[in-house]
Amino acid sequence: MKFNEQWLRSWIDPAVTTEELCQQLTMAGLEVDETAPAGPALNDVVVGRIQAVSPHPDADKLSVCQVDTGTAEPASIVCGAPNAATGLVVPVALPGATLPNGLAVEAAEIRGVASAGMLCSAAELGLSDDAAGLMALDADAVIGTPLADHLALNDTVIDIDLTPNRGDCLSLRGIAREVGVWNRLPVIEPDIAEVEAVVEDTRPVIIEAEADCRIYAGRVIKGIDVAARTPDWMRERLRRAGIRPIFPVVDVTNYVLLELGQPMHAFDQQTLQGEVRVRRATNGETLTLLDDQEVTLDDRTLVIADADGPVAMAGVMGGARTAVGEGTVDVFLESACFTPSAVAGTGRRYKLHTDSLHRFERGVDPMLAPQALQRATALIQQIAGGQAGPVSLAGDARSNLAAVMLRADRLARLLGTSVPDAEITDILERLGMRIEAGGEPGVWQVTPPSHRYDIALEADLIEEVARIHGYDHLPAEPRPVHAPITTQPESRRSVSRIRDVLCQRGYDEAISYSFVDRQLQDALGAGQGAIDLDNPIAAQHAQMRTTLWSSLLPCWLHNRRRQQHRVRLLEIGLRFERGDGDNIRQIPTLAGLIDGPAEPEHWDGSARAVEFFDIKGDIEALFGGQADQLEWVGDRPAGLHPGRSATIRLDGKPIGRVGQLHPGLEKELDIKNLPYVFELDYEAVAHTAVPRFEAVGEYPEVRRDLALTVADDQAVGGLLATIRQLDQPWLTAIRVFDVFRGGDLETGFKSVALGLIFQDKTSTLSHEGVDEAVNRITEALNHDCGAQVRGHS
């Protein structure tokens, strides 16, 4: 919120300096973000009036102006501006002046004609970017007055950064109220009298969406002077607030927005048809906005409509069909209060943001609408004339904010100090709140004023007392805080422990954007159900990631293309999926990537590229004692090599996938030798089996080796699972020590050699008992997996 100090001091003028005023605003919770001078130093620039204009004798695009600058004789000045005209009051830079752009003005001869100065545009004076013509000033400006005095440029522009809950301070009135409370001074508000209707023209107003619009006030103003010009004092206040002056009707609505905080809109009365209705749009209705953007509306959108359809998006922007222009003679002026819930989200859906929407989303005082309508009517008549009709009013302007209980002991507990009851009530009353006794000492029922939407809890009232009492007056001392220690299951591992397992195996952690490239995500087979961003920061960050691989691959490519041939990356973060309706699920995920040699280069070893079993070993290290419970199912997960990948299951549930990237990505990424990757649900990794002590057995182990012939598509993991399901009490370990194809084996089959380790903790095993256990195992393998012991038919 930008405003100029002089404007604020016309409402309230405390005996403090600019720096002290800014400090007060910041301590009141209205943080001053920046201060700047209202304009540059304009020495030797005065107000002048063009008395005569004649063509330059030697240049078609130049003219010679006789300009009254308040001296005895008019000055002859050569000018190239297209709007130079007799009677126009403009800024004149006299010889010796230096303009903000560094141009030194001197008396000179231009194409054979003497020129004693320079007529200036607003851009040349550093007051705006308008360089189309001379800067026009008020016709009644005193000729010869320094321009800095006429425009009151000895001023400061203050920019405050408001928190979302302080929508009441998005106006000069709101800021002045805060300064008045801080300095115990009354606020001098402008006199807003009711403007009597002198014509009978009116337009009926109907609120159909009663839950969305508290009040709607409007009136017709006829016979506006199209030649009127917004006066300099108003233009300057708008400019210093960052709003470009346009023409009187629009400037007045913007001025009232800044002054009172009430968004307003003016319709061209001649283009409106029938009654004005506040209603929800019908799905498929269209509206061309003031910025010429055509939008298709849905039934969540609140609109202002006439008999021919929507004419404005309520609280956001008006429509082009009923827009006022410089030739508009009759207007219908609206002043309304739309509820925050009715307009919240409208700007995001249609990618719009306006000053009006910014205020309505935070809450506008419903009692302000009729008052603002009178203020705007009076200003329009003051500047451009016109005859006002009667006010059309619909809705209820009464405040519906509920009373909130405040307890002095609770306040003392939170602030760490006691504030006298008299000071508490004084502060709240100065803030415009109504206070009633709560039935016992030190308890009050406090009703906030209609403009304080943010007061809903006792803590809100305590905050108000604290900031007006003064944060610097609160004691700065340690306070005891009860911080109970929460229990953490022993089976749950912290993020750091999980990270350390992989870091010890050579991984580096990557922290990347959740926004990824749409084309890459599609190539990974993860684009289905992806969430597109409305306003991506870049084309390569246009979607929310549905897999962390979409983030890790650009990191890997960045390193690979910089001659980093051995890369190990991990990331712990969120991936996103569409849920029911408009819901978006955030899934904590652990992902990893490996590429390059399996081991760092060393003189005593040969280089070997990473393979599936390297990354499989890393995953098994993450699960520790649970590794033997993992199932590796070769079901060709999306985005991965069909013969070098697997889905990972734990307790029968899929928890992730692993493998080499699909060969089709070589062309997409323009690179060969794709990396191996894995992705796991974080919660599955975070829970692990609690380690248990187990004594070394005192009795000897017995090992039996089995050489099995199985179908080539039979997973070894299936053999192991079948053996474990038998729940053999003496079987302590199973070791796969050979897998063989070819030789005398039939085509389509392979040989798998298993080492079975048996041990009893209480006695020495007999050969008969072990043989019986091995027989049960071979029978189960034959029945479930079709396995034959080699050498047996």
Side-chain angles (χ1 to χ4, degrees), residues 319-341:
R321 173 166 66 88
T322 56
V324 299
E326 294 182 351
T328 299
V329 176
D330 303 334
V331 301
F332 177 74
L333 196 62
E334 78 158 22
S335 180
C337 177
F338 307 110
T339 61
S341 60

Side-chain angles (χ1 to χ4, degrees), residues 375-395:
R375 175 64 167 163
T377 303
L379 288 171
I380 290 174
Q381 289 184 332
Q382 175 185 331
I383 297 169
Q387 298 175 307
V391 174
S392 299
L393 187 64

Side-chain angles (χ1 to χ4, degrees), residues 636-653:
R636 301 187 176 190
L640 298 179
H641 193 295
R644 302 173 187 169
S645 60
T647 295
I648 306 169
R649 294 176 176 270
L650 180 64
D651 297 331
K653 298 178 181 177

Side-chain angles (χ1 to χ4, degrees), residues 48-53 65-69 73-75 85-88 143:
R49 177 180 282 109
I50 300 176
Q51 294 181 326
V53 180
C65 302
Q66 303 302 314
V67 183
D68 180 6
T69 60
E73 296 295 330
T86 300
L88 187 66
I143 305 304

Side-chain angles (χ1 to χ4, degrees), residues 768-789:
E768 293 78 7
V770 173
D771 290 342
E772 184 179 348
V774 172
N775 289 335
R776 283 198 297 270
I777 291 173
T778 56
E779 288 173 4
L781 289 174
N782 178 261
H783 180 271
D784 294 348
C785 306
Q788 296 286 340
V789 177

Side-chain angles (χ1 to χ4, degrees), residues 183-201:
N183 292 279
R184 297 178 178 272
L185 292 174
V187 176
I188 304 172
E189 299 197 9
D191 183 21
I192 303 177
E194 183 176 351
V195 177
E196 296 293 336
V198 295
V199 296
E200 296 182 356
D201 296 69

Side-chain angles (χ1 to χ4, degrees), residues 308-626:
D308 289 345
V311 295
M313 193 179 293
V316 183
M317 188 182 293
R321 173 166 66 88
T322 56
V324 299
E326 294 182 351
T328 299
V329 176
D330 303 334
V331 301
F332 177 74
L333 196 62
E334 78 158 22
S335 180
C337 177
F338 307 110
T339 61
S341 60
V343 298
T346 302
R348 289 186 291 277
R349 290 202 305 277
Y350 296 99
K351 301 180 180 64
L352 296 170
H353 183 78
T354 62
D355 290 336
S356 294
L357 177 62
H358 188 71
R359 286 162 173 79
F360 279 125
E361 283 182 327
R362 285 153 178 76
V364 172
D365 185 353
M367 301 181 70
L368 187 58
Q371 187 181 29
L373 184 65
Q374 299 294 347
R375 175 64 167 163
T377 303
L379 288 171
I380 290 174
Q381 289 184 332
Q382 175 185 331
I383 297 169
Q387 298 175 307
V391 174
S392 299
L393 187 64
D396 184 359
R398 290 177 298 180
S399 173
N400 62 352
L401 298 180
V404 180
M405 182 177 69
L406 175 62
R407 296 164 292 177
D409 60 345
R410 173 68 172 165
L411 184 147
R413 228 174 20 252
L414 286 182
L415 300 187
T417 187
S418 295
V419 179
D421 289 1
E423 184 179 352
I424 293 173
T425 56
D426 175 62
I427 288 172
L428 296 177
E429 287 174 347
R430 283 190 283 136
L431 287 167
M433 302 187 191
R434 189 173 73 251
I435 303 175
E436 298 177 1
E440 56 182 283
V443 178
W444 303 275
Q445 291 292 331
V446 182
T447 303
S450 56
H451 59 270
R452 290 304 300 269
Y453 278 72
D454 59 313
I455 305 298
L457 304 171
E458 185 177 24
D460 298 327
L461 293 173
I462 294 173
E463 179 187 3
E464 293 300 295
V465 173
R467 68 186 186 87
I468 302 303
H469 176 74
Y471 295 122
D472 51 346
H473 294 156
L474 299 178
E477 60 184 33
R479 301 288 298 171
V481 176
H482 177 62
I485 299 175
T486 58
T487 58
Q488 181 79 348
E490 191 177 0
S491 61
R492 184 170 182 87
R493 295 186 293 178
S494 66
V495 173
S496 60
R497 286 184 60 191
I498 295 170
R499 184 190 298 118
D500 287 347
V501 171
L502 292 177
C503 288
Q504 289 165 6
R505 299 177 72 87
Y507 283 74
D508 294 305
E509 184 175 15
I511 299 175
S512 59
Y513 283 117
S514 296
F515 314 137
V516 297
D517 183 83
R518 177 185 290 108
Q519 186 175 354
L520 175 59
Q521 193 144 261
D522 287 342
L524 286 168
Q528 186 174 3
I531 301 129
D532 292 326
L533 297 175
D534 286 343
N535 298 293
I537 58 177
Q540 64 269 31
H541 297 300
Q543 281 187 343
M544 302 296 287
R545 64 188 179 192
T546 57
T547 170
L548 267 60
W549 297 342
S550 304
S551 302
L552 285 180
L553 278 180
C555 297
W556 165 70
L557 283 170
H558 181 87
N559 284 275
R560 177 77 174 267
R561 289 165 179 166
R562 284 159 180 78
Q563 299 179 314
Q564 301 301 310
H565 300 298
R566 188 172 189 271
V567 178
R568 304 286 189 278
L569 294 174
L570 75 96
E571 181 167 7
I572 300 173
L574 297 174
R575 58 186 178 90
F576 303 86
E577 291 183 356
R578 291 195 179 277
D580 298 333
D582 293 332
N583 295 327
I584 296 174
R585 296 173 57 219
Q586 301 183 127
I587 305 171
T589 304
L590 167 63
L593 175 151
I594 64 173
D595 180 42
E599 299 290 341
E601 186 175 356
H602 189 265
W603 62 269
D604 187 23
S606 59
R608 175 180 67 81
V610 294
E611 59 182 27
F612 178 86
F613 294 101
D614 292 307
I615 198 165
K616 179 175 182 286
D618 294 337
I619 296 171
E620 289 175 335
L622 280 170
F623 285 88
Q626 285 183 297

Side-chain angles (χ1 to χ4, degrees), residues 35 49 78 86 89 111 134 155 158 190 215 259 319 391 444 467 507 538 596 641 691 701 720 753 765 787:
T35 60
R49 177 180 282 109
V78 177
T86 300
V89 179
R111 304 288 291 268
L134 299 177
D155 190 10
I158 301 174
I215 185 171
E259 182 185 57
V391 174
W444 303 275
R467 68 186 186 87
Y507 283 74
H641 193 295
E701 292 180 348
L720 303 182
L765 290 174

